[in-house]
Amino acid sequence: MEQAGVEMGLYCEHFFPWFMEKMGDSSNDIVKNLRRDTLNGLAGDVLEIGFGIGANTPYYTSGIRSVTALEPNAGMIRRAKRYISGSSIPITFVKGSAETLSFADNAFDAVVSTMTLCSVGGLSEALMEIYRVIRPGGAFHFFEHVAAHNPIDRGLQNILTPVTKTIFCGCHLNREIESVIVSTGFHIKDINRDRQRIGIMPEFMSYFIHGVALRKQDI
């Protein structure tokens, strides 16, 4: 999970980026396919929030003119610059928070978030900022793990979220991300609601959404 919007410490800035790179998803076909599907159709100038180590980079297509990589963790940025060194797409790093984007209104053709909204400090604030910086006709591409609809799994998520917030530097297991995307003003054009175990991930952590949302006035 790409980390964003939480206070940095030695663990989050130094160990966690190393852990994310070692854990990776290069051998996991489920995650690779979800990333590829999420990024399908992107073009023009793209902002990715919570860039992490750059795991989406192999799935950015030639139709993309530029990528602005927003990441609050300096340790992630250092590792990402090595990890993506072979990319042919111009990538500019910006150290900052999704809740307070430093970009002008309508600055990007699209915004991407993969496994990031679980960790932002303020979910509603981050989505309002994402909405603001997308140009008319643009889209928000997302792939996130979300709150379980099974009450037993939801209960486990609620119990363990304080633990995952520490281990994964801000990660909430139990966020209702889809409903907040809609309440922000987005129209969801496409969405897949999946329940898939990835690697050794337990059942209660296997709830995902991925899709594309548009600004309502641009439909």
Side-chain angles (χ1 to χ4, degrees):
M1 297 128 187
E2 283 82 348
Q3 182 275 346
V6 297
E7 185 177 352
M8 298 301 141
L10 289 175
Y11 172 84
C12 286
E13 185 171 338
H14 296 282
F15 174 79
F16 189 56
W18 171 86
F19 173 72
M20 292 302 295
E21 185 173 355
K22 294 301 179 184
M23 185 171 70
D25 56 36
S26 59
S27 62
N28 193 306
D29 288 338
I30 293 175
V31 176
K32 288 194 291 186
N33 289 335
L34 286 170
R35 290 189 189 277
R36 186 178 293 109
D37 289 348
T38 300
L39 272 59
N40 185 43
L42 282 171
D45 298 313
V46 175
L47 168 66
E48 181 176 342
I49 65 165
F51 190 78
I53 62 167
N56 286 328
T57 305
Y59 311 106
Y60 280 123
T61 64
S62 58
I64 295 172
R65 183 165 48 246
S66 69
V67 173
T68 298
L70 183 84
E71 175 56 53
N73 188 329
M76 288 287 191
I77 293 173
R78 287 192 295 269
R79 285 194 173 269
K81 286 180 177 179
R82 299 194 297 268
Y83 188 80
I84 67 165
S85 59
S87 174
S88 60
I89 296 171
I91 297 176
T92 302
F93 286 90
V94 175
K95 188 176 184 296
S97 167
E99 300 94 319
T100 54
L101 296 177
S102 59
F103 312 109
D105 295 356
N106 309 325
F108 298 96
D109 297 297
V111 175
V112 170
S113 171
T114 63
M115 311 284 266
T116 295
L117 292 178
C118 64
S119 299
V120 295
L123 179 58
S124 295
E125 293 86 347
L127 281 164
M128 286 189 289
E129 282 288 87
I130 289 168
Y131 190 95
R132 179 182 66 79
V133 301
I134 295 175
R135 291 172 183 157
F140 174 44
H141 293 239
F142 56 89
F143 161 35
E144 303 287 346
H145 69 84
V146 294
H149 50 72
N150 177 300
I152 296 176
D153 289 343
R154 172 68 75 90
L156 288 170
Q157 288 180 338
N158 291 340
I159 290 169
L160 290 173
T161 285
V163 178
T164 60
K165 284 171 64 179
T166 299
I167 295 174
F168 295 108
C169 298
C171 172
H172 296 71
L173 295 175
N174 55 356
R175 281 187 165 171
E176 297 276 3
I177 292 174
E178 181 180 347
S179 64
V180 182
I181 291 173
V182 173
S183 66
T184 301
F186 283 106
H187 165 74
I188 293 183
K189 177 184 177 184
D190 298 300
I191 190 167
N192 292 276
R193 302 175 183 90
D194 304 309
R195 187 180 182 188
Q196 299 194 58
R197 292 190 66 178
I198 296 174
I200 62 172
M201 181 180 291
E203 289 283 350
F204 68 87
M205 294 177 64
S206 62
Y207 296 82
F208 297 89
I209 58 172
H210 72 282
V212 178
L214 306 175
R215 290 169 56 163
K216 282 186 176 179
Q217 65 263 40
D218 301 324
I219 300 171

